[in-house]
Each structure stands twice: as structure tokens, then as C-alpha cells.
Amino acid sequence: MTDLRNTVGDRIRAIRKAKGLTQQQLAELSNLDDAYIGAVERGERNFSIDTLEKIVTALKIQPTELFQNHDDLSEIEAAQRRAIDEYAVTVSELSVRQIDTMKRIVREVKGAFEVK
């Protein structure tokens, strides 16, 4: 079970960092101790579902996002995962109109990289 705990802890850390939060800030948002957050991220704590729910709520994510194992990713796949995490954080703070604009911009940028 340690592998799953480590995977979840790693994902919590990655998402927290993608959101630009410190462990202290996540602890405050989730009403947990910052040392406890650190132990969870390192896979040192056998946390409860209630604790996991507090963290998921504080991060404003779906629980499924924590159970994706990225240990076997190539360098490019890991970079893509980090970009997706950052993109998800960005769009979570935008209106529908702003999201549509951002999607158009991303398509334009992608088109600029295509070989013609």
C-alpha cells in the first residue's frame, strides 16, 4: 500500500506546486497542520479518507486526479503532465468566455509550431 500512498502524496505535491501554494497555505486551506501536509506528500502518513477529502477540497480538484501514477512517464510525458496540471489550475479560475479565448489562443500557438 505504500506505493499508492507515495503516488497520492506525489500528486498532492505536484498539484499544490502547480497552483503556486506552499505547504503552509495548503495546510491553512485544508485546516490541517503544515508538518502533516509535508508527511502526506512524502508518503509518511497513513491518512484517512476524511483528511484526503479536506486536501482535495482545498486544492479544488477531483479525487481521481490523485490516483494517476506518473512514475513510468518519459521526460516528455512528465513535462506534458506538468503542463496539463498548470493549464487546469489556470482555467479553473476563468469564466467560460475566458476559457474559450484561452482555447483559441492555444490552438493558434499550436498552429504556429506545425510544419507547413
Side-chain angles (χ1 to χ4, degrees):
M1 288 298 175
T2 305
D3 289 342
L4 179 58
R5 194 169 58 222
N6 287 335
T7 296
V8 171
D10 288 344
R11 289 295 296 147
I12 290 169
R13 179 184 303 112
I15 293 167
R16 173 183 59 77
K17 287 183 174 185
K19 290 183 172 279
L21 296 172
T22 65
Q23 287 181 347
Q24 177 67 37
Q25 290 168 321
L26 178 56
E28 290 172 10
L29 291 170
S30 59
N31 293 317
L32 297 168
D33 184 76
D34 59 324
Y36 188 83
I37 294 292
V40 167
E41 288 184 354
R42 292 186 298 277
E44 298 171 353
R45 294 301 301 252
N46 189 16
F47 47 87
S48 70
I49 295 295
D50 292 340
T51 299
L52 191 59
E53 183 177 26
K54 288 179 180 182
I55 294 170
V56 165
T57 300
L59 290 172
K60 299 178 183 173
I61 60 170
Q62 294 298 312
T64 56
E65 294 181 54
L66 297 180
F67 297 98
Q68 301 167 353
N69 187 345
H70 298 134
D71 290 343
D72 298 329
L73 298 180
S74 69
E75 183 179 350
I76 192 161
E77 290 168 328
Q80 290 167 339
R81 184 72 248 175
R82 286 190 303 275
I84 290 167
D85 287 345
E86 289 181 30
Y87 188 79
V89 168
T90 301
V91 299
S92 71
E93 301 167 351
L94 301 176
S95 69
V96 172
R97 187 174 144 271
Q98 291 169 321
I99 291 169
D100 289 340
T101 300
M102 186 172 206
K103 288 180 354 187
R104 284 193 303 275
I105 291 168
V106 168
R107 281 193 298 271
E108 288 291 326
V109 170
K110 181 182 177 265
F113 290 112
E114 292 177 0
V115 178
K116 295 180 180 188

